[in-house]
Amino acid sequence: MTEPMPAVRDTIDTRRRAAAAERTVPRQSVAPGIHRVALPDEGLAEVVCVHCGTQSHGPRCPVCDHPHRVQDRFEADLGLVSLVTDRGILHARNEDAVAAAVVPDDSGQPETIILVVCDGVSSSPDPQAASGTAVRTGVDACLAALAGDRTPEEATAAGMAAASEAVRNLVGPDGDAPSCTYVSAIVRTESGGRISLTVSNIGDSRAYWLAAGETATGQPARPGHPGPLTGPQKLTVDDSWAQTLIEAGAMDEQAAMADPRAHTLMRWLGADAGQQPWSGDSIRTYFVEGPGALLLCTDGLWNYLPKPVDLTGRALGVPTAEGARALVDYAVVCGGSDNITVALVPISGGR
């Protein structure tokens, strides 16, 4: 695992990325009152042509047809959720993707938030196609299921199944199969004001609960417990070689993560992953009272900040968009060895 650099919060590179992503991607209305966004979206990025100086959208300049420089960072703000995805330093392109939707209640107040984050598997062909397809399909399927009065658990399962099928259908004529990880969350205000977090994962993209205090446990909390989560903690279990070694008792976490096969995936989305690539306990529901925040992220972040308490220290105590940027900036400054994607949802008590 890469060792974090000292806590440098600002560099020329991170400032440039933040400035380039400054224009928030417009919210897309998919139904009355429902807003959704998916990143990266090159079609929505406003770029200045390095050849003729024309400011426009799309992959090529409409004036001189010169290809646009790929934007390093995309950001979006849906009010109660901040999204940031960044190419990082070492990768030539961003193979991560993130999508979110906010659903209001009858009074127009936000009631449900849906998030999906995916990390394209670099060893597969067109991994960015897999991740982009999965996040959009997953969010849309969750929206449809919730509109049909399905429970958050049922909607989450519908999202995973739809995303899995969509990515399987991307297989090329030569049999090459794009693939990706998948982590999702549905944040819902239940009757009585209690807030539920229903999370799912396939692969090693993660969900965390961030809150003040010491880390409650090294492993995910027990899902479905009626009491609220206490202290920052990881909510998902990686489908990885390292986690398999840990669960088998063959190695402790530090030794397992140092193994060169640590990030080898045991489960993923793709035509080569089977009809149901998720495990029986991939879907978990927790209850929270706040204050705190839900974080979904790819390993481009948690490679540098795996501990919930360290993530909490950088993400909380500032506006949500600043907290999301701070997490991504930290990973960039530490070396940016992978694409970095963050979805952050603040949760206050009594919401």
Side-chain angles (χ1 to χ4, degrees):
M1 182 176 296
T2 306
E3 288 296 323
M5 289 172 58
V8 180
R9 296 293 293 273
D10 195 20
T11 66
I12 292 176
D13 190 59
T14 56
R15 289 199 300 273
R16 176 180 61 77
R17 290 165 186 269
E22 201 164 57
R23 277 182 194 274
T24 300
V25 175
R27 304 179 185 190
Q28 303 167 37
S29 182
V30 295
I34 299 176
H35 294 287
R36 177 191 61 181
V37 71
L39 306 175
D41 191 333
E42 299 288 351
L44 293 175
E46 193 166 54
V47 184
V48 176
C49 178
V50 297
H51 188 257
C52 72
T54 300
Q55 188 168 303
S56 62
H57 300 269
R60 305 186 74 89
C61 176
V63 175
C64 68
D65 200 39
H66 192 275
H68 281 152
R69 183 180 182 277
V70 175
Q71 185 168 322
D72 291 323
R73 178 175 295 188
F74 289 84
E75 298 182 3
D77 185 358
L78 290 177
L80 284 179
V81 55
S82 289
L83 313 176
V84 183
T85 185
D86 194 288
R87 179 180 61 85
I89 302 298
L90 298 187
H91 281 225
R93 64 187 177 190
N94 191 349
E95 297 166 358
D96 285 359
V98 56
V102 177
V103 183
D105 61 18
D106 293 338
S107 67
Q109 294 300 309
E111 179 185 47
T112 304
I113 298 171
I114 303 167
L115 306 167
V116 179
V117 168
C118 295
D119 181 354
V121 177
S122 296
S123 59
S124 71
D126 296 324
Q128 73 282 357
S131 60
T133 297
V135 297
R136 289 167 172 83
T137 304
V139 166
D140 286 349
C142 286
L143 282 170
L146 291 172
D149 291 327
R150 307 280 290 279
T151 67
E153 291 82 1
E154 291 170 336
T156 297
M160 285 198 303
S164 178
E165 181 179 4
V167 175
R168 284 201 312 273
N169 290 338
L170 294 175
V171 64
D174 54 0
D176 288 340
S179 56
C180 64
T181 67
Y182 184 95
V183 61
S184 74
I186 295 178
V187 182
R188 193 160 203 178
T189 304
E190 308 286 349
S191 58
R194 188 170 65 165
I195 298 171
S196 65
L197 310 178
T198 300
V199 300
S200 73
N201 74 294
I202 304 166
D204 64 355
S205 296
R206 293 180 174 180
Y208 288 90
W209 170 245
L210 309 184
E214 294 300 317
T215 302
T217 176
Q219 294 298 317
R222 182 157 57 95
H225 190 275
L229 293 176
T230 58
Q233 51 201 288
K234 183 160 69 81
L235 303 180
T236 51
V237 179
D238 296 345
D239 295 312
S240 66
W241 177 264
Q243 185 63 35
T244 299
L245 293 176
I246 294 168
E247 291 178 354
M251 293 184 184
D252 61 21
E253 184 175 3
Q254 183 175 1
M257 291 306 301
D259 189 289
R261 299 162 293 180
H263 284 274
T264 300
L265 297 179
M266 310 306 289
R267 297 178 184 274
W268 62 91
L269 295 185
D272 54 352
Q275 292 289 320
Q276 184 175 313
W278 53 90
S279 65
D281 64 347
S282 288
I283 299 175
R284 297 163 170 252
T285 295
Y286 306 90
F287 299 97
V288 297
E289 291 181 349
L294 174 69
L295 169 69
L296 267 58
C297 65
T298 58
D299 61 350
L301 173 64
W302 69 254
N303 276 336
Y304 298 106
L305 286 172
K307 296 181 179 179
V309 68
D310 294 333
L311 291 163
T312 296
R314 293 185 175 276
L316 300 191
V318 295
T320 307
E322 290 184 22
R325 289 190 200 108
L327 292 173
V328 175
D329 286 348
Y330 184 82
V332 171
V333 171
C334 287
S337 62
D338 202 349
N339 309 140
I340 310 137
T341 299
V342 162
L344 190 64
V345 181
I347 295 174
S348 58
R351 172 170 154 246

